[in-house]
Amino acid sequence: MEPEYSATVVDHFEHPRNGGHFEAGEGVVRGTAGSVAQGTMFVLSARISDHRIEAVRFEAYGCPHCIAAGSWLSERLVGLDRDQLRAWRWRDADQALGFPLEKRGRLLILEDAVHSLGEAWPPFIP
Amino acid sequence: MEPEYSATVVDHFEHPRNGGHFEAGEGVVRGTAGSVAQGTMFVLSARISDHRIEAVRFEAYGCPHCIAAGSWLSERLVGLDRDQLRAWRWRDADQALGFPLEKRGRLLILEDAVHSLGEAWPPFIP
Amino acid sequence: MTPAKTIYLDYAATNPVDPRVAELMIECLRPEGAHGNPSSGHSFGTRARAMVEKARQQVAAAIGARPECIIWTSGATESDNLAILGVARFHADRGRHVVTSRTEHKAVIDAFKQLEKEGFEVTWLKPGADGIVRPEQVREALRPDTQLVSLMHVNNETGVIQDVAAIGAICRERGVAFHVDAAQSAGKLPINVEAMNIDLMSITAHKTYGPKGIGALYIRRRPPLGLRPLSYGGGQETGLRSGTLPTHQIVGMGAAFEIGERDREADVARVTALRERLWQGLNAIGGVELNGHPTERVAGVLNVCFHNVEGESLRFGLRELAVSSGSACSSGSDEASYVLRALGRTDQLAQSSIRFSLGRFTTEDDIGRAIAIVRREVERLRALSPVVAQSHGT
Amino acid sequence: MTPAKTIYLDYAATNPVDPRVAELMIECLRPEGAHGNPSSGHSFGTRARAMVEKARQQVAAAIGARPECIIWTSGATESDNLAILGVARFHADRGRHVVTSRTEHKAVIDAFKQLEKEGFEVTWLKPGADGIVRPEQVREALRPDTQLVSLMHVNNETGVIQDVAAIGAICRERGVAFHVDAAQSAGKLPINVEAMNIDLMSITAHKTYGPKGIGALYIRRRPPLGLRPLSYGGGQETGLRSGTLPTHQIVGMGAAFEIGERDREADVARVTALRERLWQGLNAIGGVELNGHPTERVAGVLNVCFHNVEGESLRFGLRELAVSSGSACSSGSDEASYVLRALGRTDQLAQSSIRFSLGRFTTEDDIGRAIAIVRREVERLRALSPVVAQSHGT
Ligand SMILES: Cc1ncc(COP(=O)(O)O)c(C=O)c1O
Ligand SMILES: Cc1ncc(COP(=O)(O)O)c(C=O)c1O
């Protein structure tokens, strides 16, 4: 049997928001986690302005839940500051998207990607 | 699967000739062989006149082949004398009726009944 | 003799498919039908799967079971084997004693004979002359190493009903698995596997106006009952029965069981009346006897022995009637029914016995004509018989 | 997504019933149909029996066998088990070594795993990256105590064809029983069991436009090959497979095999052309690879792996197509296909592989739409992928 996908997952999978990445440059940071061999990989890139995230782009290799999570996340991160990013936890995404139990591990990879974005965010960026 | 019956068997089974018996009396002899427990039994009764069989009646308990054989026989014995009766062999009936191999034994009971009729035929009957 | 002229009185061998059931099966077979593999993940598969699961609920509801306790098989023969060989082999290290009776269907008897070859000890219970195995006989047969008791609900040759609920209670009390072959009772008697303490139950569609080639095994799931499969593969039916599920067949069985249970009381009343009429008619010929218990019997089966008529001639004489002697699988063979022999009938009487079995499509006219045909042939053959004078009957 | 809008490209999982076959089955299911038990002696029985025997001839003719070598089963799963467990168990005292491959259907693999539990030693041949087991590998695996070799004719996941005739010759020479699972080849390739030295062959109706739930096992009769049944009972099919024969199902299989063989060449030519078109269309997307041998393959199966697209997302993205990954019985499960893994594919590539399987009712339009849908989804997912830049393909 095919796994079940919630309406939110299907929506984000079919109409992903903010797919792609920003070209490297001033005010652009990049976070990444996972690998193809693991079956799940996220690359997040964010444009930062005034200590807050102004826009996010995502790339994802993974199951529909993961692609939906990348898309969903790209909207939620806007407006967050560096500390909020580092404090981000997977549970929000789980609640919004309804990951099946056996896929929870993939959300931890997403969390890693968010934190990696936080790490990449140099304190001196305006 | 039901056993196969030749057209001759079916005809004699459905329209047996000379069923029944003659009441005991002068010129009437009776031969019998087999038993219900054996699954096959024949009773033949014959009216004798001028050293020859004038008419035969048969009774049979047994399979369709046996009933057909009794009926068929009741026509063939007419005109036979005592020695011919004693010399009667089962092969004629087999040829006429096509007994399956596993039923041949029943023809020997028929032969016994014919011979028993011969035994019962006292030499002094006219 | 064309079938059209022949009167079908062999419902215990197999049933025609009820037209309402056939319609549903036919829908599945059409190009636009649910032709997907029920195990496939795509929409064709899920559509077929939904139909399979609906049918599972229908069958479960008809026997008082939860749907997850039903697994599909190819018929009662396979269900019997899966239950008997499956339980015995799985639990072989806990004990190798098993119990059944001498009047079971061949599918049960031969499965137990196979167990004997595999080192099991079988207690073969002998029913009374009425065909009934007393629950006390079962209790006495149980031993500490008994793994399984298998007894049929309704006998296919005589229609005699066993008290499976009482036997189930004894087995449950003693912790022995209890298998029931209910091929002949589904749709004919109320069945509730839970109330009857049945652990495994074999059913088949084609005795309940469904298609041939599909059946099911009820398996108690709580507490779980270990079972070794007969075959291995795709892992369908929780691994107990691999192979692509035949949607149209399963849909047919589901519908047949739902209709069978819904219409059961009306069907039974109608068939009982016809059978009563048939019995009166046959009895009036004289020299006949009922085989098996006079009242503990299912509506549609009447097994009668005819004194002083040889069996093969009787059957051939009655070839306008589709009836049987013995069970279909062995009928035509010259051997006397082992079931009637176990009830104490002589070889001769067993061979001169005819099973008339009636069903949903049997008519008054069928019965009237059948009685006339039997009377004609029996009287004709008896008139040719050398032994009628010295016997009872005519 | 309703099935009507979905394009069916899963013929290797199961086929719709050919309408010509369905018509014949439907006739059997109607009230006036041949509803008797084929084992019954009366006219209803003999009418059904005649239809069963006609179908046996049809199936036998399609595979170059004599009719008495065909026994009816519930499908290829049962046939595989009956052949493998049947021969191995029957001859266990003569030797306990058996041979098969790692890319067989689960019904074969799991039967051999069961034999391992019963103390047999199994040699699991590993095919090459093209999916082919070389006949020499079989020769090298044979030992004096080898009882059985089992290899499939056409692989259900890749469509790759094994040289069963060459393997048959080797087995015959060495006196080892040779079983072939031909579920996927009947009606698609010429088969002649005698010429190919096949001793046992499994076939099933539902992969050849017949109904699900009916199959057959070809068994060489001269010299006779001992076989232990899986189940016991009425003694139908020379005691090897008891149970009431399902006339409508058997009639359907007979007709399906007759049509399949008669129309084979035309069907294959048409399907090959469609598959070629599909492959050209998919190949043009880029970053795709064929799984299995490029030419030693059956017409209707195309198994393709898509680089840089995650498998589950690809499958979900393609849900307007009824296709599969792995075989139907295990599809949807997250595990990568063991068949593709045995061919050396990584887990990721195996999971990003799709089996497109075409058949008699596939149209040009289906293929055109399928190509467009696959292109759209693959490009869309690749555009979201973080790794496309550093990979081949796009
Ligand atoms: C009591 C009983 N058990 C088992 C069977 C076997 O059923 P099937 O033909 O479905 O295998 C039958 C009928 O044939 C039966 O009457
Ligand atoms: C190669 C092969 N063998 C066996 C089977 C099992 O066949 P069935 O579903 O008829 O049991 C299949 C298909 O499911 C198959 O493709």
Side-chain angles (χ1 to χ4, degrees):
Chain A
M1 304 294 92
E2 283 297 314
E4 292 291 320
Y5 305 104
S6 69
T8 315
V9 170
V10 174
D11 178 39
H12 279 278
F13 176 79
E14 293 197 330
H15 312 287
R17 283 55 138 176
N18 309 307
H21 56 265
F22 296 116
E23 290 307 316
E26 202 179 326
V28 170
V29 292
R30 191 167 171 279
T32 173
S35 69
V36 169
Q38 273 174 278
T40 304
M41 179 177 181
F42 294 101
V43 174
L44 302 174
S45 78
R47 221 175 43 221
I48 291 157
S49 155
D50 200 13
H51 298 285
R52 304 230 165 233
I53 291 182
E54 191 183 64
V56 176
R57 294 277 163 86
F58 85 98
E59 290 170 328
Y61 177 96
C63 69
H65 282 98
C66 293
I67 289 176
S71 166
W72 175 87
L73 184 78
S74 72
E75 293 184 321
R76 306 293 133 158
L77 295 186
V78 172
L80 267 49
D81 66 19
R82 191 168 176 267
D83 289 343
Q84 284 173 312
L85 211 58
R86 291 172 149 203
W88 192 85
R89 291 290 172 270
W90 61 272
R91 289 193 187 276
D92 292 351
D94 188 30
Q95 205 129 44
L97 299 164
F99 267 58
L101 217 63
E102 67 277 11
K103 285 189 176 178
R104 284 271 174 81
R106 301 178 194 180
L107 277 176
L108 299 179
I109 298 180
L110 183 66
E111 193 179 283
D112 283 352
V114 174
H115 293 174
S116 145
L117 195 62
E119 300 302 325
W121 185 333
F124 51 83
I125 283 195
Chain B
M1 304 294 93
E2 284 295 314
E4 291 292 320
Y5 305 105
S6 69
T8 315
V9 169
V10 173
D11 177 39
H12 278 278
F13 176 79
E14 293 197 329
H15 313 285
R17 285 53 139 176
N18 309 307
H21 57 265
F22 297 116
E23 290 307 316
E26 203 181 323
V28 169
V29 293
R30 190 169 173 278
T32 173
S35 69
V36 170
Q38 274 175 278
T40 304
M41 179 177 181
F42 295 100
V43 174
L44 302 173
S45 80
R47 219 172 45 221
I48 290 158
S49 154
D50 200 12
H51 298 285
R52 303 226 167 239
I53 292 181
E54 190 185 66
V56 176
R57 292 279 162 85
F58 85 98
E59 290 169 330
Y61 176 96
C63 69
H65 283 97
C66 293
I67 289 177
S71 166
W72 175 86
L73 185 79
S74 73
E75 292 184 320
R76 306 292 134 158
L77 295 186
V78 172
L80 266 50
D81 66 17
R82 190 167 177 268
D83 288 344
Q84 285 174 310
L85 211 57
R86 291 174 148 201
W88 191 87
R89 291 292 174 270
W90 60 272
R91 290 195 185 275
D92 291 351
D94 187 29
Q95 203 130 46
L97 299 163
F99 267 57
L101 216 64
E102 67 277 13
K103 285 188 176 178
R104 286 270 173 82
R106 302 178 192 180
L107 277 177
L108 299 179
I109 300 181
L110 183 66
E111 191 179 285
D112 283 352
V114 173
H115 294 173
S116 144
L117 195 62
E119 301 301 328
W121 186 334
F124 52 81
I125 286 192
Chain C
M1 197 89 36
T2 72
K5 295 201 293 186
T6 311
I7 302 168
Y8 193 73
L9 291 172
D10 205 9
Y11 279 82
T14 192
N15 296 171
V17 177
D18 188 294
R20 294 166 289 183
V21 172
E23 255 351 285
L24 295 172
M25 295 178 62
I26 289 168
E27 269 174 45
C28 288
L29 294 171
R30 299 273 189 213
E32 67 286 0
H35 68 255
N37 187 323
S39 299
S40 293
H42 49 62
S43 56
F44 290 87
T46 49
R47 181 179 170 209
R49 186 81 200 175
M51 297 175 82
V52 165
E53 293 315 319
K54 180 183 170 198
R56 204 188 298 275
Q57 279 165 13
Q58 291 171 313
V59 168
I63 62 168
R66 282 177 300 119
E68 65 271 28
C69 299
I70 302 295
I71 76 155
W72 304 113
T73 67
S74 64
T77 298
E78 183 182 342
S79 299
D80 285 342
N81 278 269
L82 178 53
I84 295 163
L85 301 177
V87 166
R89 288 172 179 167
F90 189 94
H91 297 288
D93 52 351
R94 279 176 24 196
R96 293 181 159 259
H97 178 240
V98 287
V99 178
T100 188
S101 92
R102 297 193 195 178
T103 53
E104 298 300 307
H105 189 267
K106 275 278 180 196
V108 169
I109 299 226
D110 289 356
F112 275 96
K113 285 190 178 160
Q114 175 61 21
L115 287 181
E116 281 184 329
K117 287 194 196 143
E118 295 176 19
F120 287 82
E121 195 183 330
V122 180
T123 297
W124 299 95
L125 300 174
K126 184 173 169 1
D130 55 7
I132 289 182
V133 175
R134 285 172 300 104
E136 279 317 299
Q137 288 177 272
V138 175
R139 188 189 297 280
E140 286 154 21
L142 295 183
R143 312 191 315 207
D145 60 341
T146 309
Q147 289 306 324
L148 177 72
V149 171
S150 176
L151 285 169
M152 69 206 312
H153 194 187
V154 167
N155 184 276
N156 49 308
E157 294 197 28
T158 61
V160 165
I161 303 168
Q162 302 294 348
D163 188 355
V164 290
I167 296 165
I170 292 169
C171 292
R172 186 60 55 93
E173 187 188 309
R174 297 282 291 268
V176 173
F178 180 41
H179 167 250
V180 172
D181 179 339
Q184 295 283 349
S185 58
K188 278 134 201 142
L189 295 176
I191 298 180
N192 186 305
V193 286
E194 308 252 346
M196 289 168 157
N197 287 314
I198 293 170
D199 297 311
L200 304 124
M201 191 171 85
S202 302
I203 46 184
T204 190
H206 74 101
K207 314 268 188 191
T208 314
Y209 310 98
K212 295 180 235 310
I214 183 74
L217 180 64
Y218 161 83
I219 307 175
R220 183 194 80 198
R221 294 285 188 187
R222 283 188 221 155
L225 191 64
L227 222 69
R228 183 182 306 171
L230 297 172
S231 61
Y232 304 86
Q236 289 91 347
E237 303 301 279
T238 61
L240 282 172
R241 212 295 191 162
S242 291
T244 301
L245 292 169
T247 315
H248 66 295
Q249 295 275 89
I250 291 171
V251 162
M253 181 159 179
F257 269 61
E258 183 172 290
I259 293 170
E261 186 54 24
R262 196 186 58 215
D263 297 357
R264 182 166 51 78
E265 295 190 7
D267 256 18
V268 165
R270 214 184 62 83
V271 169
T272 305
L274 289 174
R275 185 206 60 194
E276 238 355 86
R277 178 155 169 231
L278 177 60
W279 172 235
Q280 297 311 329
L282 298 181
N283 206 14
I285 298 170
V288 307
E289 259 183 288
L290 191 65
N291 289 316
H293 197 284
T295 56
E296 289 297 313
R297 52 175 46 261
V298 84
V301 180
L302 193 66
N303 194 316
V304 175
C305 72
F306 293 86
H307 289 272
N308 293 312
V309 195
E310 193 273 343
E312 188 186 325
S313 281
L314 179 61
R315 291 197 299 277
F316 187 58
L318 298 182
R319 67 199 182 283
E320 287 162 84
L321 307 182
V323 292
S324 89
S325 55
S327 61
C329 31
S330 52
S331 84
S333 81
D334 232 16
E335 269 173 62
S337 151
Y338 66 89
V339 171
L340 300 182
R341 294 288 291 118
L343 270 50
R345 292 289 185 209
T346 61
D347 260 355
Q348 288 306 316
L349 277 182
Q351 257 165 357
S352 299
S353 293
I354 300 280
R355 178 185 71 184
F356 302 87
S357 52
L358 292 60
R360 195 174 283 165
F361 309 111
T362 307
T363 63
E364 289 272 349
D365 183 53
D366 289 341
I367 298 301
R369 283 165 61 211
I371 294 169
I373 290 166
V374 176
R375 174 179 283 278
R376 182 196 74 205
E377 276 307 302
V378 168
E379 290 183 346
R380 198 175 79 81
L381 290 168
R382 282 185 181 158
L384 287 175
S385 167
V387 278
V388 167
Q390 70 236 43
S391 70
H392 50 146
T394 355
Chain D
M1 197 88 37
T2 70
K5 295 200 294 186
T6 310
I7 302 169
Y8 193 74
L9 291 173
D10 206 9
Y11 280 81
T14 191
N15 296 171
V17 177
D18 188 294
R20 293 165 290 182
V21 171
E23 255 350 285
L24 295 172
M25 294 178 63
I26 289 168
E27 269 174 46
C28 287
L29 294 170
R30 300 272 190 216
E32 67 287 358
H35 67 254
N37 187 324
S39 300
S40 293
H42 48 63
S43 55
F44 290 87
T46 49
R47 182 178 169 211
R49 185 82 200 174
M51 296 173 81
V52 165
E53 294 315 319
K54 180 183 168 199
R56 204 187 298 274
Q57 279 166 10
Q58 290 171 313
V59 168
I63 61 168
R66 282 176 298 120
E68 65 270 28
C69 298
I70 302 295
I71 78 157
W72 304 113
T73 68
S74 63
T77 298
E78 183 181 343
S79 299
D80 285 341
N81 277 270
L82 178 53
I84 295 164
L85 301 177
V87 166
R89 288 172 178 166
F90 189 93
H91 297 288
D93 51 352
R94 279 178 21 196
R96 293 181 159 260
H97 178 241
V98 287
V99 177
T100 189
S101 93
R102 296 195 194 175
T103 52
E104 298 300 307
H105 189 267
K106 274 279 179 197
V108 169
I109 298 225
D110 289 357
F112 275 96
K113 286 191 178 159
Q114 174 61 23
L115 287 181
E116 282 183 329
K117 287 194 195 142
E118 294 175 21
F120 287 81
E121 195 184 327
V122 179
T123 297
W124 298 96
L125 300 174
K126 184 170 170 359
D130 56 7
I132 290 185
V133 175
R134 284 173 301 102
E136 280 317 298
Q137 288 178 271
V138 175
R139 188 189 299 278
E140 284 154 21
L142 296 183
R143 311 190 318 206
D145 61 340
T146 309
Q147 288 306 324
L148 177 72
V149 170
S150 177
L151 285 169
M152 70 206 310
H153 194 186
V154 167
N155 186 276
N156 48 308
E157 294 197 28
T158 61
V160 166
I161 303 169
Q162 303 293 349
D163 188 354
V164 291
I167 296 165
I170 292 168
C171 293
R172 185 61 54 92
E173 187 188 307
R174 296 283 291 268
V176 173
F178 181 40
H179 168 250
V180 172
D181 179 338
Q184 295 283 348
S185 58
K188 279 135 200 139
L189 295 176
I191 298 180
N192 186 304
V193 286
E194 307 252 347
M196 289 169 157
N197 287 313
I198 294 170
D199 297 311
L200 303 124
M201 191 172 85
S202 302
I203 46 183
T204 188
H206 74 101
K207 314 266 187 193
T208 313
Y209 309 99
K212 295 180 235 311
I214 182 75
L217 180 63
Y218 162 82
I219 307 175
R220 182 194 81 199
R221 295 286 189 188
R222 281 186 223 157
L225 192 64
L227 223 68
R228 184 184 303 172
L230 297 172
S231 61
Y232 304 85
Q236 290 90 347
E237 303 298 279
T238 61
L240 282 173
R241 213 295 190 162
S242 291
T244 300
L245 291 169
T247 315
H248 65 294
Q249 296 275 88
I250 291 171
V251 162
M253 179 157 180
F257 268 62
E258 184 172 288
I259 294 170
E261 187 53 24
R262 196 185 58 214
D263 297 357
R264 184 165 51 76
E265 295 191 6
D267 257 17
V268 165
R270 214 183 63 82
V271 169
T272 303
L274 290 173
R275 186 207 60 195
E276 238 354 85
R277 182 160 162 225
L278 177 59
W279 172 235
Q280 297 310 330
L282 299 180
N283 206 14
I285 298 170
V288 306
E289 260 182 288
L290 191 65
N291 289 316
H293 197 284
T295 56
E296 289 298 313
R297 51 174 46 259
V298 85
V301 179
L302 193 66
N303 195 316
V304 175
C305 74
F306 293 87
H307 289 273
N308 294 312
V309 194
E310 192 273 344
E312 189 185 325
S313 280
L314 179 61
R315 291 197 300 276
F316 187 58
L318 298 182
R319 65 199 183 285
E320 289 162 84
L321 307 183
V323 291
S324 89
S325 54
S327 62
C329 30
S330 51
S331 85
S333 82
D334 232 17
E335 269 173 62
S337 152
Y338 65 88
V339 171
L340 299 182
R341 295 288 291 118
L343 269 49
R345 291 290 185 209
T346 61
D347 260 355
Q348 288 306 317
L349 277 183
Q351 256 164 358
S352 299
S353 294
I354 300 280
R355 178 186 69 184
F356 301 87
S357 53
L358 292 60
R360 195 175 284 165
F361 308 112
T362 307
T363 62
E364 288 272 350
D365 184 54
D366 289 340
I367 297 302
R369 283 166 59 211
I371 293 169
I373 290 167
V374 176
R375 174 179 283 278
R376 183 196 72 206
E377 275 307 302
V378 168
E379 291 182 347
R380 198 177 79 81
L381 290 169
R382 282 185 181 157
L384 287 175
S385 166
V387 278
V388 166
Q390 71 236 46
S391 70
H392 51 146
T394 352

